Amino acid sequence: MAKTRSVRARGIIYQDGKLFAQRLKKGDGEADYWCTPGGGLEIGEGILDGLHREMIEETGVAPEIGQLLFIQQFWHGDEEQLELFFHIKNAADYETIDLAATTHGELEVARYGFVDPKTEHILPAKIKELDFGTLLSTDQSVQLFDLF
């Protein structure tokens, strides 16, 4: 079986020590983990354009995209996953979301909100180790979490 690559862009929305995350729908229930909003890029789609599109589809809120914070690369079955995580600067706009006003939110999102990344089961797991206060206030190098 041929191996493939999937490229995803995700938003990091951080406010008052909490990270905006969502639990996606899974079967008749929801996933047992939180994840940040975003998703897969379409063939030929720019990274920032794809992130903008995905966030509007899931949340209905247009993101103000900031710096690239970190990259994660890993295998999921026979598919290589490459995820790019960008700071979203307009965190206050995500305090109240109407999933009914989105194109994909009601179909894909079971729950959303600002959660404590240190205590909640959130993916990628490396998020628990990050100091977002420092990460967002400096121009440090982009981190790569290579899970090969």
Side-chain angles (χ1 to χ4, degrees), residues 50-116:
L51 177 58
H52 189 265
R53 175 187 52 77
E54 282 286 343
M55 292 198 61
I56 289 175
E57 287 176 356
E58 293 177 6
T59 68
V61 177
E64 292 178 21
I65 302 170
Q67 69 187 32
L68 176 62
L69 298 175
F70 59 94
I71 300 168
Q72 174 178 246
Q73 185 177 23
F74 63 100
W75 283 101
H76 181 71
D78 281 341
E79 186 172 66
E80 178 187 3
Q81 300 279 325
L82 183 63
E83 293 184 315
L84 299 99
F85 292 79
F86 290 85
H87 178 218
I88 304 300
K89 298 190 274 185
N90 54 324
D93 294 344
Y94 292 85
E95 291 174 6
T96 304
I97 290 174
D98 179 7
L99 293 178
T102 68
T103 59
H104 291 64
E106 283 188 314
L107 296 172
E108 297 176 359
V109 179
R111 284 194 288 162
Y112 67 88
F114 283 89
V115 300
D116 184 341

Side-chain angles (χ1 to χ4, degrees), residues 4 8 12 23-24 33-34 36 61-62 73 95 102 112 117-118 120 124:
T4 61
R8 300 177 177 281
I12 295 293
R23 284 191 178 224
L24 300 178
Y33 58 86
W34 294 91
T36 61
V61 177
Q73 185 177 23
E95 291 174 6
T102 68
Y112 67 88
K118 303 292 185 200
E120 294 292 334

